[in-house]
Amino acid sequence: MLRLNPDVPVPAIAADEILIENHATSINPVDCAARSGYGQNFFSRLGWGELPMILGRDASGVVVETGADVTDLNVGDEVYAAPPIGCYAEFVKVKAAHAAIKPRNLDHNQTASLPFIALTAWTALVSEAGVTADNAAGKKVVVPRAAGGVGSFAVQLLKAWGAEVAGICSTRNLDLVRSLGADIVVDYTKEDFRDHLEGYDVALDLIGRKSDFEELNNDYKGGTDTQDGTHYDEQLMSVLRPDNDAVYVTVCSPKVALTNQYGFDAGMRRADDEYKKRAASAARNGYQYIWSFFNPSAEPLREISRMVEAGKIKPVIDRTYKLDEIVAAHEYCETKQAQGKIVIAIQ
């Protein structure tokens, strides 16, 4: 259940934090899942809070207070960030090391569509798969759900760096994915991408195994396993070149769902065992297998600002709602029809 609370106090900041007067945020599918309890044991153990909590992973606004140890940001700076929680609010506290000056050519609504998806894609592609501006040219990367938030950003980032990109999407999203620069676009509603793609260097899984999410609840629509009995990660790995340098990386691991089902400690042990099993299986077939987890950091955001200002990346926004329309915004997000991001205008 979502409820607006007009009496929440302004957060108090620590010495290494800043306080942002938030102008806009956005909705990510993980917010909808968290509303139903997804991640409650995980969030609690990491100190992010207990349910009920203020959701939201994107902030774009103006710095109104800085902690005693903050030296690189000042009151009045227009910044953006993706803190772990708490962005459906007029004021948001963020570690200064996680915030950066927003792109100067975007307004706050446009900017709020970027930080969480950008850092999710960056962590998976750069930090984990090792794709960079210096080595991307000539690499072949496949991106499913290419019209979604993370996918639409990943396609643009990879193309800006010179990679060859295959995007997988539905019929209604073909033109959008082509407009983002994808070299090959496969309509999964009509074709099996395995019939068209081979020899790829990196597979960025944004869907995951359906079975990894079934224990969460019957309404959560995670990955899709096919009638031929293979899991989606196995399908994606089949288009990789059989080489130890080829990488399968996913942002859809079962770790958080397992902590939901078994508690934090037991869930983490099960997740570790499952990861080792899958990684070993991939290695036998000649691939690297990686679970990627979002990592907040100002450094990638600063580079992303430069790329946006240079016209190499643009926000992809489906709809914009006001904060008091947050229920309708979540309902639309749960249709899984959004092209790019759903933005919430706060000011």
Side-chain angles (χ1 to χ4, degrees), residues 84-287:
I85 210 76
C87 293
Y88 292 177
E90 294 170 320
F91 292 91
V92 178
K93 67 175 182 177
V94 181
K95 286 189 177 297
H98 298 167
I101 301 297
K102 78 173 189 64
R104 292 171 295 180
N105 59 332
L106 300 185
D107 61 27
H108 287 292
N109 287 355
Q110 294 169 315
T111 301
S113 71
L114 290 174
F116 181 71
I117 60 167
L119 290 171
T120 298
W122 189 283
T123 303
L125 291 169
V126 181
S127 303
E128 298 292 356
V131 181
T132 68
D134 295 328
N135 67 17
K139 286 187 183 293
K140 296 172 63 176
V141 185
V142 57
V143 181
R145 198 167 281 171
V150 177
S152 62
F153 180 88
V155 171
Q156 294 183 85
L157 178 68
L158 291 163
K159 290 307 301 175
W161 287 347
E164 180 182 326
V165 180
I168 303 172
C169 63
S170 65
T171 306
R172 64 186 292 269
N173 294 318
L174 293 174
D175 289 343
L176 169 63
V177 176
R178 290 192 185 104
S179 75
L180 298 175
D183 301 279
I184 299 172
V185 183
V186 180
D187 183 347
Y188 73 82
T189 69
K190 298 180 179 179
E191 302 173 289
D192 188 327
F193 65 83
R194 292 171 289 181
D195 295 332
H196 301 274
L197 307 178
E198 65 177 353
Y200 276 73
D201 301 285
V202 179
L204 173 60
D205 190 352
L206 305 176
I207 293 179
R209 293 188 181 188
K210 180 179 180 182
S211 54
D212 285 342
F213 300 96
E214 285 179 337
E215 69 273 9
L216 178 58
N217 61 60
N218 292 330
D219 297 324
Y220 183 73
K221 299 177 177 65
T224 303
D225 300 336
T226 59
Q227 294 180 352
D228 65 9
T230 57
H231 295 295
Y232 199 81
D233 57 348
E234 296 168 336
Q235 296 169 43
L236 278 178
M237 279 186 279
S238 73
V239 309
L240 292 171
R241 54 186 175 84
D243 186 309
N244 287 332
D245 290 332
V247 180
Y248 163 89
V249 58
T250 181
V251 302
C252 302
S253 85
K255 180 178 286 188
V256 176
L258 287 171
T259 64
N260 258 57
Q261 185 177 14
Y262 298 104
F264 185 86
D265 294 322
M268 292 293 281
R269 287 193 296 270
R270 286 173 178 265
D272 186 56
D273 290 343
E274 184 63 22
Y275 175 79
K276 291 176 181 177
K277 181 175 68 175
R278 296 186 193 182
S281 176
R284 287 193 293 271
N285 291 309
Y287 315 125

Side-chain angles (χ1 to χ4, degrees), residues 310-333:
K312 296 179 179 180
I313 293 175
K314 62 182 180 181
V316 180
I317 298 173
D318 187 291
R319 298 184 184 184
T320 300
Y321 293 82
K322 296 179 180 179
L323 185 58
D324 61 5
E325 298 172 317
I326 193 75
V327 171
H330 265 243
E331 289 174 344
Y332 181 59
C333 182

